[in-house]
Amino acid sequence: MFLLLSVALIFMAAFATPAIARFIPHKQRFLFALVPATSFALICSKASDIAQGLAISEDYTWIPAFDINLNFRLDGLSFLMALLITGIGALILTYASGYLKGYEANTRFYTIIQIFMAAMLGLVLSDNLIAMFIFWELTTVSSFLLVGFNHENPDARKKALQALIVTAGGGLAMFAGILLLGNVAGTYQVSELITHAEMIKNHKLYEAIVILICLGAFTKSAQFPFHFWLPNAMAAPTPVSAYLHSATMVKAGVFLLARLTPVLGGTSFWLHLLVYVGGFTMILAASLGLIYRDLKKILAYSTLSVLGIITLLIGMGTEFSFKAAIMMLFAHALYKATLFMVAGSIDHETGTRDITRLRGLRKVMPWTFAAAGLAALSQAGFPPFTGFLAKEYFYGSALDHNMKILLISSAFISSMFLFVLAFKIGFHPFLGRENKKIHAHEAPPTMLIGPVTLGLLSLLFGLFPGPIAKYILSPALASFNTTFHPVKLKLWHGVNTALILSLITLTCGFGLYKLRKKIRQNATGVDDKLNIQFDQSFANGLESFIKFAKWSTKLIQSGSLRSYMIITISAFAGLLLYILLYVGGMPEFYKFSHVKPITLAFLVALAIVTIVACTTLSRMTALLSLGVIGFGITLIYMMYGAPDLAFTQILVETLTVVMFMVVIHKLPRFKDFSTRRKKAFDAIFASIVGMTVTFLVIKAQNLSSKNPVSQIYAETSYLEAHGRNVVNVILVDFRAFDTFGEIVVLSIAGLGVSLLMRNNKKEDTE
Amino acid sequence: METLIAILIGILFAGGVYCLLQRSLVRLVIGIMLIGQGANLLTFAASGLTRKHTAIIKSGETILQAPHADPLPQALVLTAIVIGFGFTAFCLALLHRTYKTLGHDDLEKFNTTDTDK
């Protein structure tokens, strides 16, 4: 119950927020943080079970017919993610209460971000892939609303839309992958899929499944070539970026990869796909980050780079690399959320995020600086921070792998660049001489709690890694390996290659940091070219898609009734012909016998009259022809034992002719609008449809059902309903409700007619 | 004989479809009426035709003795005739009104929702 509760609690809070918020003054809105904090506590209460390698499951049937259930499962990996989502979520909501104090629409913010939070929590706790996908899409939609929070700004709207299209598009691909996977394995439960892993990997659809699912993961975690949406999504208010774009949403992609590693991982296809995509992203993003001046842009690129690292580590597929991936994910969530909040505080208090203008803030913003420094040292990989542990594992697993040279060199480059990016955010704005033009002051306490707490945790967990090893690393590792064994985490491993590499990285990184200005100046323009190209091709793609939609709409929705008719009728006749020719078989013509000459003459006359009715240019002739057809059909009803039909038909025909007579002199003369050619086409088309219908009738007559439905009416009409005329009994007794409906239709039609005619009279008199 | 009726139904449908494709609104209404007649006859004839036998239980008998006409299609067609009448009446009124308002009955000019005055 408690897993469901921890998700439902946040959902309920989200929906109650608009009602509650009006009673909570802006200053006290940090109280909203109590919601995720409660969930955090709920999840923490299971820590001892998790530490023993147990998983907690809760199953709720939802749509059992489709094997879609709400199966919540808390194992090591989801425990880690859930803690990050709720823990950082609580701090972010506290932070946001300070950051958004002035915003009018901040109720909307709290509502949406709580929906996002609940969806994200549901995502990581879902064991059923379909349910997970639903939460996944819910995060996409809510993040769209959050990125476009400043919706008056057209640029924010545009970028939110871009993020939505990229991630939702990837989500759809992933959905296709999930369906394939479910079809192949016969279940959507991850915990059951694992038992079918070998079969799935040998299946001929394996590559397709991996590609489709990876499309979802790569778009969500902004891997190359889908990376461009994340820097653009920095248009979001900073609390949103700090939450979605550091610790939670962008991690959903790598979380999925990790989750499915025991199912899909371990093949060389998986290895190469993840290692190359992740590796390329980590280097490209880290180097692009060097050329930016905007704090949030720099953060976005360093996030991209770390997401690349995690993808790469998951792809490498060794136990060492899984450990590194977990540590990297954990360390990154702590320091990146801090740095984002710091960037937001700087922006909030100084009004700029341009690092060339930000100098010497250490005196006015000492607490912010402290938090920033701690987080930056962690990102840079200084001992004894968690970031250092993560990097040690990264190097260690690279050294351990058979793609050693490639991995080590790329790991080195990206770590060095990440060092520079860390210092550009964490130290550059605070050190040096003060910029007199900027009047800054320290952020309010609500905006300090989050960054300072997380900054300190980065340090504490590095100094005392015991609890991390016990509660986070060992259980999460079990999610990769499917078997649990406790692992140790030590800060000091003695002097080894990884440590030496670390030290070289720090030295080189520091050197590079000193050269940061030169790099940026020399590289100005490079980024514009690169990024604009991606933006441009995205915009072009979108535009041509819209063009295509317009073109196809025009084609189908031409506005001409004639073409609609042709399409509709061809569909009808085409399907009918198809069934007759290929499924049912063409009917045989055999009932030509016993035709009296007089009947033949009668039918031929009716046929001729029909043709006259269609082609005549005289209104009176048309009217008379219709009358003749109607009465002719009456005769047919008479001949074949349907006196009731004949009576009704005579009445109706008479009335119709009278009605037609009333309006006919007010109707326009027939005009031949169509060209000869069009008419010829119409005639041929109509003949084909007519022939198809003829075949249908003959076919229907040839078939005979052994137990006709009407038998029951024939037998019970007199005995139960006391009527001898079976047709009448059906209408007024057996199917009386149908007749009632018919009366209603008729009255509505009568009402319509009388209204249409009455209005007319009024206008005439005016 | 039944085959001939089937051909007549085909001709009614063909005539109806031909009229539906013309640009004149009056023709459209005629087309609807023709298809209506054809559809009624189709329902009636599809279950097979029995000559000279009705679906009425003779006095002295308690159940309908074979051979008899199939009562179910007749009941359906009876409903359809009446509904068809209502529909035709409505179409005629609408046609009348449309012509009064717009002054023409060219369907190709009905593309816009606004009446240009």
Side-chain angles (χ1 to χ4, degrees), chain B residues 5-54:
Chain B
I5 298 275
I7 292 170
L8 179 67
I9 295 170
I11 290 172
L12 284 170
F13 266 90
V17 169
Y18 178 81
C19 288
L20 288 185
L21 296 182
Q22 304 308 303
R23 270 165 69 181
S24 154
L25 198 57
V26 186
R27 275 274 153 77
L28 188 81
V29 177
I30 293 177
I32 291 170
M33 289 167 76
L34 284 176
I35 289 185
Q37 298 282 20
N40 288 349
L41 211 48
L42 185 150
T43 316
F44 183 66
S47 65
L49 298 168
T50 30
R51 233 181 150 156
K52 288 179 184 162
H53 296 285
T54 57

Coordinates of all heavy atoms in Angstrom, one line a residue, chain B residues 5-54:
Chain B
I5 N -35.3 -8.4 -60.5 CA -35.5 -7.4 -59.5 C -34.1 -6.9 -59.0 O -33.9 -5.7 -58.8 CB -36.2 -8.0 -58.3 CG1 -37.6 -8.5 -58.7 CG2 -36.3 -7.0 -57.1 CD1 -38.7 -7.5 -58.6
A6 N -33.1 -7.8 -58.9 CA -31.8 -7.4 -58.5 C -31.2 -6.4 -59.5 O -30.6 -5.4 -59.1 CB -30.9 -8.6 -58.4
I7 N -31.5 -6.6 -60.8 CA -31.0 -5.6 -61.8 C -31.7 -4.3 -61.6 O -31.0 -3.2 -61.7 CB -31.1 -6.2 -63.2 CG1 -30.2 -7.4 -63.4 CG2 -30.8 -5.2 -64.2 CD1 -30.5 -8.2 -64.6
L8 N -33.0 -4.3 -61.3 CA -33.7 -3.1 -61.1 C -33.1 -2.3 -59.9 O -32.9 -1.1 -60.0 CB -35.2 -3.4 -60.9 CG -36.0 -2.1 -60.6 CD1 -36.1 -1.3 -61.9 CD2 -37.4 -2.5 -60.2
I9 N -32.8 -3.1 -58.9 CA -32.2 -2.4 -57.7 C -30.9 -1.7 -58.1 O -30.6 -0.6 -57.7 CB -32.0 -3.4 -56.6 CG1 -33.3 -3.9 -56.1 CG2 -31.2 -2.8 -55.4 CD1 -33.2 -5.1 -55.1
G10 N -30.1 -2.5 -58.9 CA -28.8 -1.9 -59.4 C -29.0 -0.7 -60.1 O -28.3 0.3 -59.9
I11 N -30.1 -0.7 -61.0 CA -30.3 0.5 -61.8 C -30.7 1.7 -60.9 O -30.3 2.8 -61.1 CB -31.4 0.2 -62.9 CG1 -30.8 -0.7 -63.9 CG2 -31.9 1.5 -63.6 CD1 -31.8 -1.2 -64.9
L12 N -31.6 1.4 -59.9 CA -32.0 2.5 -59.0 C -30.7 3.1 -58.3 O -30.6 4.3 -58.1 CB -33.0 1.9 -57.9 CG -34.4 1.7 -58.4 CD1 -35.2 1.0 -57.4 CD2 -35.1 3.0 -58.7
F13 N -29.9 2.2 -57.8 CA -28.6 2.7 -57.1 C -27.8 3.5 -58.1 O -27.3 4.5 -57.7 CB -27.8 1.5 -56.6 CG -28.2 1.2 -55.2 CD1 -29.2 0.3 -54.8 CD2 -27.4 1.8 -54.1 CE1 -29.5 0.1 -53.5 CE2 -27.7 1.6 -52.8 CZ -28.7 0.7 -52.5
A14 N -27.6 2.9 -59.3 CA -26.8 3.6 -60.3 C -27.3 5.0 -60.6 O -26.6 6.0 -60.6 CB -26.7 2.8 -61.6
G15 N -28.7 5.1 -60.8 CA -29.3 6.4 -61.0 C -29.1 7.3 -59.8 O -28.7 8.5 -60.0
G16 N -29.2 6.8 -58.6 CA -29.1 7.6 -57.4 C -27.7 8.1 -57.3 O -27.4 9.3 -57.1
V17 N -26.7 7.2 -57.5 CA -25.3 7.7 -57.4 C -25.0 8.7 -58.5 O -24.3 9.7 -58.2 CB -24.3 6.5 -57.6 CG1 -22.9 6.9 -57.8 CG2 -24.4 5.6 -56.4
Y18 N -25.5 8.5 -59.7 CA -25.2 9.5 -60.8 C -25.8 10.8 -60.3 O -25.1 11.9 -60.5 CB -25.9 9.0 -62.0 CG -25.8 9.9 -63.2 CD1 -24.7 10.0 -64.0 CD2 -26.9 10.8 -63.5 CE1 -24.6 10.8 -65.0 CE2 -26.7 11.7 -64.6 CZ -25.6 11.7 -65.3 OH -25.5 12.6 -66.4
C19 N -27.0 10.9 -59.8 CA -27.6 12.1 -59.3 C -26.8 12.8 -58.2 O -26.6 14.0 -58.2 CB -29.0 11.9 -58.9 SG -30.1 11.6 -60.3
L20 N -26.2 11.9 -57.3 CA -25.5 12.5 -56.2 C -24.2 13.2 -56.7 O -23.8 14.2 -56.0 CB -25.0 11.4 -55.2 CG -26.0 10.7 -54.3 CD1 -25.3 9.7 -53.4 CD2 -26.8 11.7 -53.5
L21 N -23.7 12.8 -57.8 CA -22.5 13.4 -58.3 C -22.7 14.7 -59.1 O -21.7 15.3 -59.4 CB -21.7 12.4 -59.2 CG -21.3 11.1 -58.4 CD1 -20.5 10.2 -59.4 CD2 -20.4 11.4 -57.3
Q22 N -23.9 15.0 -59.4 CA -24.2 16.2 -60.1 C -24.1 17.4 -59.2 O -24.2 17.3 -58.0 CB -25.6 16.2 -60.8 CG -25.8 14.9 -61.7 CD -24.7 14.7 -62.7 OE1 -24.4 15.6 -63.5 NE2 -24.0 13.6 -62.7
R23 N -23.8 18.6 -59.9 CA -23.6 19.8 -59.1 C -24.9 20.4 -58.6 O -24.9 21.3 -57.8 CB -22.8 20.8 -59.9 CG -21.3 20.5 -59.6 CD -20.5 21.3 -60.7 NE -20.6 22.7 -60.5 CZ -20.0 23.6 -61.4 NH1 -19.3 23.1 -62.4 NH2 -20.1 24.8 -61.2
S24 N -26.0 20.0 -59.2 CA -27.3 20.6 -58.8 C -27.8 20.0 -57.5 O -27.9 18.8 -57.4 CB -28.3 20.5 -60.0 OG -29.6 20.6 -59.5
L25 N -28.3 20.9 -56.6 CA -28.8 20.5 -55.4 C -30.1 19.7 -55.5 O -30.4 18.8 -54.8 CB -29.0 21.7 -54.5 CG -29.2 21.4 -53.0 CD1 -27.9 20.7 -52.5 CD2 -29.4 22.8 -52.2
V26 N -30.9 20.1 -56.5 CA -32.2 19.4 -56.7 C -31.9 17.9 -57.1 O -32.5 17.0 -56.7 CB -33.0 20.1 -57.9 CG1 -34.3 19.4 -58.0 CG2 -33.1 21.5 -57.6
R27 N -30.9 17.8 -58.0 CA -30.5 16.4 -58.4 C -30.0 15.6 -57.2 O -30.3 14.4 -57.1 CB -29.3 16.5 -59.4 CG -29.7 16.8 -60.8 CD -30.0 15.4 -61.5 NE -31.0 15.6 -62.6 CZ -30.7 16.1 -63.8 NH1 -29.5 16.5 -64.0 NH2 -31.6 16.2 -64.7
L28 N -29.3 16.3 -56.3 CA -28.9 15.6 -55.1 C -30.0 15.0 -54.4 O -30.0 13.8 -53.9 CB -28.1 16.6 -54.2 CG -27.4 16.0 -53.0 CD1 -26.1 15.4 -53.4 CD2 -27.2 17.0 -51.9
V29 N -31.1 15.8 -54.2 CA -32.3 15.3 -53.5 C -32.9 14.1 -54.2 O -33.3 13.1 -53.6 CB -33.3 16.4 -53.3 CG1 -34.5 15.9 -52.6 CG2 -32.7 17.5 -52.4
I30 N -33.0 14.2 -55.6 CA -33.5 13.1 -56.3 C -32.7 11.9 -56.2 O -33.2 10.8 -56.0 CB -33.6 13.5 -57.8 CG1 -34.7 14.6 -58.0 CG2 -34.0 12.3 -58.7 CD1 -34.8 15.2 -59.4
G31 N -31.4 12.1 -56.2 CA -30.5 10.9 -55.9 C -30.7 10.3 -54.6 O -30.8 9.0 -54.5
I32 N -30.9 11.1 -53.6 CA -31.2 10.5 -52.2 C -32.5 9.7 -52.3 O -32.6 8.6 -51.7 CB -31.3 11.6 -51.2 CG1 -29.9 12.2 -51.0 CG2 -31.8 11.1 -49.9 CD1 -29.9 13.5 -50.1
M33 N -33.5 10.2 -53.0 CA -34.8 9.5 -53.0 C -34.6 8.2 -53.8 O -35.2 7.1 -53.4 CB -35.8 10.4 -53.7 CG -36.3 11.6 -52.8 SD -37.2 12.8 -53.7 CE -38.8 12.0 -53.9
L34 N -33.9 8.2 -54.9 CA -33.7 7.0 -55.7 C -33.0 5.9 -54.9 O -33.4 4.7 -54.8 CB -33.0 7.3 -57.0 CG -33.8 8.0 -58.1 CD1 -32.9 8.3 -59.2 CD2 -34.9 7.1 -58.5
I35 N -31.9 6.3 -54.2 CA -31.1 5.4 -53.4 C -32.0 4.8 -52.3 O -32.0 3.6 -51.9 CB -29.8 6.0 -52.9 CG1 -28.9 6.2 -54.0 CG2 -29.2 5.1 -51.8 CD1 -27.5 6.7 -53.6
G36 N -32.9 5.7 -51.7 CA -33.8 5.3 -50.7 C -34.7 4.1 -51.2 O -34.8 3.1 -50.5
Q37 N -35.3 4.4 -52.3 CA -36.2 3.3 -52.9 C -35.4 2.1 -53.2 O -35.8 1.0 -52.8 CB -36.7 3.8 -54.3 CG -37.6 5.1 -54.2 CD -39.0 4.8 -53.7 OE1 -39.2 3.7 -53.1 NE2 -39.9 5.7 -54.0
G38 N -34.2 2.2 -53.7 CA -33.3 1.1 -54.0 C -33.0 0.3 -52.8 O -33.1 -0.9 -52.7
A39 N -32.6 1.0 -51.7 CA -32.2 0.3 -50.5 C -33.4 -0.4 -49.9 O -33.2 -1.5 -49.4 CB -31.7 1.4 -49.5
N40 N -34.6 0.2 -49.9 CA -35.8 -0.5 -49.4 C -36.0 -1.8 -50.1 O -36.2 -2.9 -49.5 CB -37.0 0.4 -49.5 CG -37.0 1.5 -48.6 OD1 -36.2 1.6 -47.7 ND2 -37.9 2.5 -48.8
L41 N -35.9 -1.7 -51.5 CA -36.2 -2.9 -52.3 C -35.1 -3.9 -52.0 O -35.3 -5.1 -52.0 CB -36.2 -2.5 -53.7 CG -37.1 -3.3 -54.7 CD1 -38.5 -3.4 -54.1 CD2 -37.1 -2.6 -56.1
L42 N -33.9 -3.4 -51.8 CA -32.7 -4.4 -51.5 C -33.0 -5.2 -50.3 O -32.9 -6.4 -50.2 CB -31.4 -3.5 -51.4 CG -30.1 -4.3 -51.2 CD1 -29.0 -3.5 -51.8 CD2 -29.8 -4.6 -49.8
T43 N -33.4 -4.5 -49.2 CA -33.7 -5.2 -48.0 C -34.8 -6.2 -48.1 O -34.8 -7.3 -47.6 CB -34.1 -4.1 -46.9 OG1 -33.2 -3.0 -46.9 CG2 -34.1 -4.8 -45.5
F44 N -35.8 -5.7 -48.9 CA -37.0 -6.6 -49.1 C -36.6 -7.8 -49.9 O -37.0 -8.9 -49.6 CB -38.0 -5.8 -49.9 CG -39.3 -6.5 -50.1 CD1 -40.1 -6.9 -49.1 CD2 -39.7 -6.8 -51.4 CE1 -41.3 -7.6 -49.3 CE2 -40.9 -7.5 -51.6 CZ -41.7 -7.9 -50.6
A45 N -35.7 -7.6 -51.0 CA -35.5 -8.7 -51.9 C -34.3 -9.6 -51.4 O -34.2 -10.8 -51.8 CB -35.1 -8.2 -53.3
A46 N -33.5 -9.1 -50.5 CA -32.3 -9.9 -50.1 C -32.6 -11.2 -49.5 O -31.8 -12.2 -49.7 CB -31.4 -9.0 -49.2
S47 N -33.7 -11.3 -48.8 CA -34.0 -12.6 -48.1 C -34.7 -13.6 -49.0 O -35.2 -14.6 -48.6 CB -34.8 -12.3 -46.9 OG -36.0 -11.8 -47.2
G48 N -34.8 -13.2 -50.3 CA -35.6 -14.1 -51.2 C -37.0 -13.7 -51.3 O -37.6 -13.1 -50.3
L49 N -37.6 -13.9 -52.4 CA -39.0 -13.4 -52.6 C -40.0 -14.6 -52.7 O -39.6 -15.6 -53.3 CB -39.1 -12.6 -53.9 CG -38.2 -11.3 -54.0 CD1 -38.1 -10.8 -55.4 CD2 -38.7 -10.3 -53.0
T50 N -41.1 -14.4 -52.1 CA -42.1 -15.5 -52.2 C -43.3 -14.9 -52.7 O -43.9 -13.9 -52.2 CB -42.5 -16.0 -50.8 OG1 -42.3 -15.0 -49.8 CG2 -41.7 -17.3 -50.4
R51 N -43.8 -15.5 -53.8 CA -44.9 -14.9 -54.5 C -46.2 -15.3 -53.9 O -46.4 -16.4 -53.5 CB -44.8 -15.3 -56.0 CG -44.9 -14.1 -56.8 CD -44.9 -14.4 -58.3 NE -45.6 -13.4 -58.9 CZ -45.5 -13.1 -60.2 NH1 -44.6 -13.8 -60.9 NH2 -46.1 -12.1 -60.7
K52 N -47.1 -14.4 -53.8 CA -48.5 -14.6 -53.4 C -48.7 -15.2 -52.0 O -49.8 -15.7 -51.6 CB -49.2 -15.6 -54.4 CG -49.4 -15.0 -55.8 CD -50.0 -15.9 -56.7 CE -50.2 -15.3 -58.1 NZ -50.4 -16.3 -59.1
H53 N -47.6 -15.2 -51.2 CA -47.8 -15.6 -49.8 C -47.5 -14.4 -48.9 O -46.4 -13.9 -49.0 CB -46.9 -16.8 -49.5 CG -47.2 -18.0 -50.3 ND1 -48.4 -18.8 -50.0 CD2 -46.6 -18.6 -51.3 CE1 -48.4 -19.8 -50.9 NE2 -47.3 -19.7 -51.7
T54 N -48.4 -14.1 -48.0 CA -48.2 -13.0 -47.1 C -47.6 -13.5 -45.8 O -47.4 -14.7 -45.7 CB -49.5 -12.2 -46.9 OG1 -50.4 -13.1 -46.3 CG2 -50.0 -11.6 -48.1

